[in-house]
């Protein structure tokens, strides 16, 4: 069985395929996904919907994990999310992520980032 850290690493790698259905498969039915500057997505259907909406504006994404630590059911990482939007604009956003896992699935995912920095980069 994969460790919690391996599960998060597999999830991060899967982002490059931009497949919301595949990514939703990493979550528990009652999962919570919260980009802290926005409202949380609660439940797998809501998580799937939010992921799909995000991906409609992307043509590429890569998470560059700088540091990662795991203890028990928690995996935390500091990373740079490199996003290419549908207009071909590239955005690199510093993010701190916290993942809570349960029985091999992500039960909660919280990403902390500066929304003003994201909006500024997207508008530039």
């Amino acid at each position: 069985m994969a460790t919690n850290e391996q599960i998060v690493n597999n999830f991060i790698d899967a982002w490059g395929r931009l497949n919301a259905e595949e990514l939703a498969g990493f979550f528990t039915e009652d999962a919570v996904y919260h980009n802290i500057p926005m409202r949380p997505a609660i439940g797998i259907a809501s998580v799937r919907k939010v992921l799909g909406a995000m991906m409609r504006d992307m043509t590429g994404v890569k998470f560059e994990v700088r540091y990662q630590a795991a203890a028990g059911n928690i995996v935390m990482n500091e990373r740079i999310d490199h996003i290419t939007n549908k207009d071909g604009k590239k955005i690199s956003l510093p993010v701190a992520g916290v993942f809570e896992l349960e029985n091999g699935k992500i039960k909660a995912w919280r990403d902390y980032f500066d929304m003003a920095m994201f909006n500024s980069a997207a508008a530039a």
Side-chain angles (χ1 to χ4, degrees), residues 2-96:
T3 67
N4 288 332
E5 190 168 16
Q6 289 168 329
I7 292 164
V8 169
N9 289 341
N10 292 342
F11 175 71
I12 286 169
D13 290 343
W15 268 89
R17 294 186 284 279
L18 294 175
N19 182 323
E21 194 63 37
E22 177 186 6
L23 291 173
F26 282 87
F27 289 87
T28 63
E29 288 296 316
D30 60 346
V32 175
Y33 169 41
H34 193 182
N35 274 322
I36 295 303
M38 299 178 264
R39 292 178 179 230
I42 301 171
I44 191 66
S46 183
V47 170
R48 184 181 293 109
K49 181 178 177 181
V50 167
L51 294 174
M54 289 171 54
M55 289 179 185
R56 280 194 293 276
D57 293 330
M58 299 177 181
T59 60
V61 64
K62 182 180 186 312
F63 291 178
E64 175 191 345
V65 176
R66 295 284 188 85
Y67 302 100
Q68 185 161 281
N73 68 330
I74 304 293
V75 178
M76 300 173 72
N77 58 37
E78 178 182 358
R79 58 183 205 268
I80 306 292
D81 290 3
H82 301 283
I83 302 161
T84 304
N85 70 17
K86 63 184 175 187
D87 298 324
K89 185 172 293 188
K90 295 182 187 300
I91 300 166
S92 294
L93 183 68
V95 178

